[in-house]
Amino acid sequence: MIPKERPFIEPDKFHDLEGVQKMLASCIQCGTCSGSCPNAFAMDVTPRTLWRMVLTGQKEAIFQTRTFILCSSCYSCTLRCPRGLPLTEAMSALKQIASREGLAPYKASTRFYKSFLDSVRRHGKVREGEMMTLYFLSMKNPLLPLQFAPLGLRLMLKGKVGAPFPTRGKRPLESLFNKVMQLENNP
Amino acid sequence: MKYFYYPGCSLEGTAREYSLATTALLAALGGSIEELPDWNCCGATAAEAVSRLLCLALPARNLALAEKAAPGQDILVPCSACYLNMRRAWDKVCHDPATRRQINQTLEEEGLSVSGSTKVRHLLDVLCLDFGADSVFKKLKRSLAGLVVAPYYGCQCLRPYPVFDDPEAPSCMEPLIRATGAKVHPWSMGAVCCGASHGTTKKEVGLALVGEILDDARGADVIVTVCPMCQMNLEAHQKKISKQRGRDLSISILYLPQLLGMALGLPEKDLGLNLNLGIAPGFMEKLRSPLIKQQENKADAA
Ligand code: SF4
Ligand code: SF4
Ligand code: SF4
Ligand code: SF4
C-alpha cells in the first residue's frame, strides 16, 4: 500500500517565495548563471530571467516555467555567480514549493521524488525496483513503464534489479521522517 | 589507512560493479574499509526537491552512526550524489547551530546525535590524496599503454565544495591514469554535468547532454567515471543517441577503480567487469594486455 501523501512545510526562511527573494536580493542580472547552465537549452526561461521574475514577485509565471524543474544541481551557476548567490539552493527552494503545493505542471517530477522517498522510508535504503513500481502506480499510467522497459530489461538480465514488488518489513527511519514532518509543520 | 565505507543504495543495486572494484582496489592498495553499520540512503536529489530538513537529516544520521562507532574515522563515499549530500549535512552541522539543533532533534529518538567530528571523503579524494599515483605505479602488474582514457568527473564531487580539485578544470584523475601507462584524452567535457536524474524523469534533456559528452569523447577508448549516476547516464543510452546524431558514438564506460584494478592485475570478476552495460567490441582485448613480468617491472621502475 502506498502511504498517504502528506505535505512537507518548510520551517525556515526559505519557506516561501519571499525567502527565495532574499537569497537573490543582490542579483545584478549579469547572466553568468544562464551562460553556465548545461540545461539552459531546454529551459523555456533562462535562470537569469527566472531570478528577475522571482525578484519582481511574478509567482504565477514562475510556477509555469520548466526552468527550476530542469535544474540538475550541477552547481556551475553557484560557483560562478559574481555575487556569490546560492543559486542551486534557490532552484531547490522553488522545487520544494512546487512539491509542497502539488502544482500540476510538476506532477511527474514531484511524484518521482516522492516514490523515491517512500522507498527510503520503508526500508532505510532505496529498492530501485520498488521505487519504479510506486512511481508508476502514483502516476496511474500503466503505459509509462513501457518507456523504461528496454533499460529495465537490460538491468534485469545483468541481475541488477530485484523483483519489482513492494515488500513489507520494519521501518528503520520512521522516527526520523515523523520528526522532520513534525518540525516542518510546527516550526 | 582505515575508513568507514558508505556504499549507498546504487552500489548495492545497479552499480554493484563499482562497489566490487572499489573494495578490491582499496584492498590491493593497502587501505582498510569497514562498512558503516546500519547506514541509510542519503536521500539523493529527491529529498532536496521535497524538504530541506529531510535532505539534511537523512545523511546526518549516517554521520551520527560513524561518530558513535569510531570517532575521528573518515567516511569513504564512492557515489558523488551521496557524497554531496553528506558533505552538505556535515557543512551545516559544523557551521549552522540552529540547523544542527533541528537535525539532532530528528535523531534523538534513536539515541543518536551529530557534532561534525567525522569527515566525509569522496573515493576520488582518497585515491588522489591518501594513496596517490605513486602507490598505483609501484604495484603496477599490467601496462595500459595504448589505451586512451577520458576522465569524467561529473559535477557533484567537485561542486559546490572544492575540496580536492579545481571545480572548473579538474585534473586529479590524470596522474592516476598516466600511472597505468595509458594516455589521457584531451577534452573539455570532463566536468560538465550529464543531466543527473534527467535520465529517468526528463529523458530528452538528459540524452542531449550525454550526447555532447559522448561526442567530445570520440578518439578515446574509454570514459572513466566516479559516480553511479554518471556511469548509468553515459552507458545506458548510447544506441539511441548514436541514432539521433547519425554517427556511432558507442564507447566503453568503466568506473575508475575498474581501470586501476586492471592495471594492478586484479581478477576481472573481482572488478565486476562482467556487469558493465557499456563495453565496446574489442575493448576487453585491449584492456587485457599481458601482465608485466616481475623483472621487467623492476627494470622500468629503476
Ligand atoms: S550570475 Fe548571479 S548576479 Fe549574475 S544574473 Fe545570475 S544570479 Fe544574478
Ligand atoms: S545548478 Fe541548476 S541552474 Fe545552476 S547551472 Fe546547474 S543545472 Fe543550471
Ligand atoms: S543517493 Fe543514490 S546512491 Fe546515494 S544513497 Fe541515496 S539512492 Fe543511494
Ligand atoms: S555528472 Fe550528472 S550524475 Fe554525475 S554527479 Fe553530476 S549530475 Fe550527478
Side-chain angles (χ1 to χ4, degrees):
Chain A
M1 221 190 76
I2 303 167
K4 234 172 81 194
E5 271 177 43
R6 271 178 287 177
F8 285 92
I9 308 231
E10 282 292 318
D12 69 3
K13 57 185 188 293
F14 304 150
H15 176 168
D16 48 19
L17 204 59
E18 227 172 275
V20 190
Q21 284 173 340
K22 279 187 199 138
M23 296 165 94
L24 299 167
S26 67
C27 169
I28 51 170
Q29 289 288 303
C30 68
T32 306
C33 46
S34 303
S36 309
C37 180
N39 294 299
F41 75 96
M43 294 169 172
D44 41 1
V45 164
T46 64
R48 178 185 66 91
T49 310
L50 181 70
W51 304 142
R52 201 183 57 222
M53 290 161 71
V54 170
L55 288 169
T56 51
Q58 304 174 43
K59 190 163 179 179
E60 270 184 26
I62 294 166
F63 291 105
Q64 268 155 28
T65 71
R66 277 160 59 88
T67 302
F68 59 90
I69 215 73
L70 281 173
C71 167
S72 51
S73 301
C74 79
Y75 289 89
S76 295
C77 54
T78 301
L79 195 73
R80 290 184 191 164
C81 169
R83 306 309 305 252
L85 301 176
L87 302 178
T88 312
E89 217 170 321
M91 290 288 184
S92 300
L94 294 176
K95 287 179 201 166
Q96 289 162 18
I97 296 174
S99 148
R100 193 174 59 234
E101 302 193 357
L103 300 177
Y106 313 106
K107 258 202 183 131
S109 298
T110 303
R111 295 229 185 240
F112 178 76
Y113 295 138
K114 288 199 170 148
S115 328
F116 187 97
L117 293 172
D118 282 344
S119 189
V120 176
R121 183 172 188 153
R122 283 156 175 255
H123 307 293
K125 297 173 186 174
V126 173
R127 302 228 181 136
E128 286 159 321
E130 175 187 289
M131 180 187 88
M132 293 318 279
T133 309
L134 286 175
Y135 174 58
F136 297 129
L137 282 176
S138 71
M139 289 293 290
K140 295 192 181 59
N141 179 355
L143 288 176
L144 245 174
L146 287 179
Q147 197 192 336
F148 295 86
L151 176 58
L153 193 63
R154 281 164 70 199
L155 292 172
M156 251 180 250
L157 288 174
K158 291 271 185 187
K160 286 180 162 187
V161 283
F165 296 106
T167 48
R168 287 193 202 161
K170 116 177 194 280
R171 297 178 151 225
L173 293 180
E174 207 53 26
S175 67
L176 186 149
F177 269 81
N178 283 337
K179 195 74 194 178
V180 166
M181 261 197 282
Q182 187 196 326
L183 285 170
E184 297 205 326
N185 288 314
N186 314 296
Chain B
M1 273 161 279
K2 205 167 175 201
Y3 308 89
F4 279 120
Y5 180 54
Y6 177 84
C9 315
S10 305
L11 273 75
E12 291 201 326
T14 50
R16 263 201 344 260
E17 64 273 32
Y18 192 19
S19 196
L20 291 170
T22 298
T23 341
L25 177 68
L26 286 168
L29 290 174
S32 148
I33 57 174
E34 160 198 2
E35 185 163 332
L36 181 66
D38 193 35
W39 61 268
N40 58 272
C41 172
C42 68
T45 42
E48 187 190 18
V50 171
S51 149
R52 177 176 171 273
L53 184 56
L54 186 63
C55 137
L56 296 170
L58 285 172
R61 181 175 177 274
N62 295 313
L63 299 178
L65 291 170
E67 283 183 16
K68 189 169 164 190
Q73 184 170 304
D74 294 357
I75 305 184
L76 183 150
V77 188
C79 165
S80 296
C82 307
Y83 166 74
L84 173 58
N85 276 346
M86 298 239 249
R87 177 74 214 201
R88 176 171 38 215
W90 179 81
D91 199 65
K92 299 274 183 203
V93 165
C94 293
H95 303 119
D96 180 348
T99 301
R100 175 169 66 207
R101 229 169 295 128
Q102 279 191 328
I103 291 175
N104 277 326
Q105 278 178 285
T106 69
L107 301 175
E108 222 164 35
E109 205 176 305
E110 277 197 273
L112 293 170
S113 80
V114 56
S115 72
S117 62
T118 294
K119 279 215 198 82
V120 182
R121 312 272 314 272
H122 192 276
L123 171 67
L124 188 54
D125 176 6
V126 166
L127 286 179
C128 291
L129 297 185
D130 294 5
F131 293 98
D134 265 3
S135 68
V136 173
F137 184 74
K138 278 189 200 134
K139 300 203 157 143
L140 211 63
K141 293 270 162 46
R142 166 185 279 137
S143 163
L144 301 185
L147 277 190
V148 180
V149 180
Y152 185 69
Y153 301 82
C155 24
Q156 300 185 334
C157 69
L158 301 168
R159 297 183 293 268
Y161 302 108
V163 179
F164 55 92
D165 206 343
D166 179 337
E168 296 264 12
S171 60
C172 68
M173 269 197 249
E174 295 180 14
L176 294 169
I177 293 169
R178 288 202 188 92
T180 69
K183 277 206 184 74
V184 175
H185 178 62
W187 72 332
S188 56
M189 297 302 283
V192 177
C193 178
C194 72
S197 55
H198 285 350
T200 39
T201 51
K202 288 165 285 275
K203 215 163 173 187
E204 13 36 287
V205 181
L207 291 185
L209 291 174
V210 175
E212 293 299 309
I213 295 167
L214 296 179
D215 236 348
D216 198 26
R218 280 191 297 168
D221 296 295
V222 55
I223 302 178
V224 290
T225 71
V226 288
C227 165
M229 282 202 297
C230 308
Q231 175 83 15
M232 168 90 80
N233 283 343
L234 294 182
E235 67 187 2
H237 313 290
Q238 293 186 0
K239 259 198 203 133
K240 185 151 192 198
I241 293 169
S242 299
K243 210 188 270 167
Q244 276 177 357
R245 302 202 162 211
R247 47 183 175 267
D248 180 18
L249 292 175
S250 57
I251 181 170
S252 305
I253 317 282
L254 295 189
Y255 289 103
L256 177 69
Q258 291 185 307
L259 184 89
L260 298 179
M262 278 304 275
L264 296 193
L266 304 180
E268 282 172 34
K269 216 172 121 253
D270 294 5
L271 300 171
L273 277 162
N274 54 322
L275 295 171
N276 290 53
L277 290 182
I279 301 271
F283 175 74
M284 282 313 291
E285 290 66 38
K286 262 182 151 171
L287 190 61
R288 287 180 189 129
S289 62
L291 294 177
I292 304 168
K293 286 188 209 103
Q294 216 51 24
Q295 287 125 341
E296 272 178 58
N297 201 10
K298 274 188 196 130
D300 274 359

